[in-house]
Amino acid sequence: MNTLPISKPYNTQYNNINFRCNKFYTAQEIKDAAIVSNKEVSEGLEKLTKKIKFVNQILGKNDKTNKPVSTQIGDAFVFINMDKTTKGKTKINIFSDTPAAVFSYSGIENQYKKIETPNIERQSLNIVISDKDGRMCNGTLSTIDDNCTTFERNIKTGKRKAEGKYFIMVPNINECKDQKFEMNDFGYNKTTLTIRNIFSQLFNKLSLVKPEINLTK
């Protein structure tokens, strides 16, 4: 009696090629997933400022970090460099590498697809603090969407000026900041926007006539 050879199990991968369905997202779904609450920003800002103050205390009066000190906020790591070797001033560099936009338009109306390996963008805050009163002398804030804002304060006169892609501060008018236009943050994930908001909050608080945060005490 002739017998047929036993069949091999059916290979669902078709010669190792995996088939998967592309998932699409609406604009509203993307916006909802990226919402950052005021509580999350406040807690993240408090954690960051505590870490900065800790580094300042450890360094003493005339020292600087040899490598960045890190702290984790949500899913992101924030790194801190500090230099206290300039008399009367403390230089602080804060940065975090977060994903660029993680969604792109699919070509189908109101349908967006997720980018599997998004680029990484560095968000940073470089500030110089007066040891005398804790006020920010100079500062540069760089966040998503090519947003860069510079700040300068004349320590003797108190006159301040700041300008960036999205706002301008009018000199000699207390806390007068004009929003130029709305920042385009669509497509970024919650982690990136959380860091953006925390860095921006810290920058804004330090730019006040009487700063709400003192990083050197």
Side-chain angles (χ1 to χ4, degrees):
M1 180 178 65
N2 294 327
T3 59
L4 296 174
I6 299 175
S7 299
K8 294 182 179 179
Y10 184 68
N11 186 352
T12 58
Q13 291 188 329
Y14 297 96
N15 295 324
N16 297 322
I17 299 176
N18 292 311
F19 289 89
R20 59 194 177 98
C21 296
N22 291 323
K23 183 176 181 181
F24 295 102
Y25 303 82
T26 65
Q28 192 59 51
E29 286 175 326
I30 294 171
K31 291 178 181 178
D32 290 344
I35 292 175
V36 182
S37 69
N38 291 333
K39 181 180 178 182
E40 289 170 315
V41 175
S42 297
E43 291 176 349
L45 179 59
E46 182 179 5
K47 185 173 184 180
L48 177 58
T49 54
K50 282 184 176 180
K51 194 72 172 185
I52 295 171
K53 290 181 180 182
F54 171 75
V55 175
N56 178 67
Q57 185 178 16
I58 293 298
L59 286 179
K61 293 184 178 181
N62 185 25
D63 203 353
K64 63 180 179 179
T65 53
N66 294 319
K67 60 180 181 179
V69 177
S70 67
T71 186
Q72 186 171 1
I73 298 177
D75 293 331
F77 282 94
V78 178
F79 297 89
I80 303 163
N81 284 305
M82 187 175 293
D83 185 345
K84 303 185 68 177
T85 59
T86 302
K87 185 177 180 180
K89 295 181 179 179
T90 298
K91 299 176 183 178
I92 306 172
N93 164 242
I94 309 163
F95 65 92
S96 181
D97 295 327
T98 56
V102 295
F103 292 96
S104 63
Y105 185 57
S106 67
I108 305 173
E109 184 178 0
N110 196 35
Q111 296 293 313
Y112 297 83
K113 58 184 178 180
K114 196 167 186 178
I115 301 172
E116 296 299 327
T117 54
N119 293 327
I120 299 298
E121 291 182 342
R122 173 159 293 186
Q123 302 192 70
S124 64
L125 180 55
N126 290 285
I127 52 181
V128 179
I129 303 292
S130 169
D131 293 338
K132 181 179 179 180
D133 52 22
R135 293 191 296 174
M136 178 169 64
C137 310
N138 301 91
T140 302
L141 171 68
S142 300
T143 59
I144 62 174
D145 195 28
D146 296 324
N147 177 32
C148 181
T149 303
T150 59
F151 172 88
E152 184 179 349
R153 186 197 311 261
N154 187 310
I155 296 301
K156 293 182 179 180
T157 64
K159 184 178 179 180
R160 299 166 301 145
K161 62 179 181 179
E163 187 172 1
K165 184 177 179 180
Y166 296 102
F167 86 96
I168 183 171
M169 177 183 288
V170 180
N172 297 328
I173 301 179
N174 292 351
E175 321 316 343
C176 183
K177 300 175 183 178
D178 293 334
Q179 194 76 15
K180 290 182 179 178
F181 50 88
E182 197 67 29
M183 177 183 285
N184 179 21
D185 56 14
F186 179 79
Y188 288 88
N189 68 9
K190 184 174 181 177
T191 296
T192 298
L193 296 182
T194 299
I195 295 301
R196 189 278 304 271
N197 292 351
I198 291 171
F199 283 11
S200 297
Q201 279 270 2
L202 180 57
F203 185 82
N204 289 340
K205 289 180 181 294
L206 291 171
S207 71
L208 298 176
V209 173
K210 295 182 179 179
E212 296 180 3
I213 295 176
N214 191 328
L215 297 176
T216 57
K217 289 187 178 179

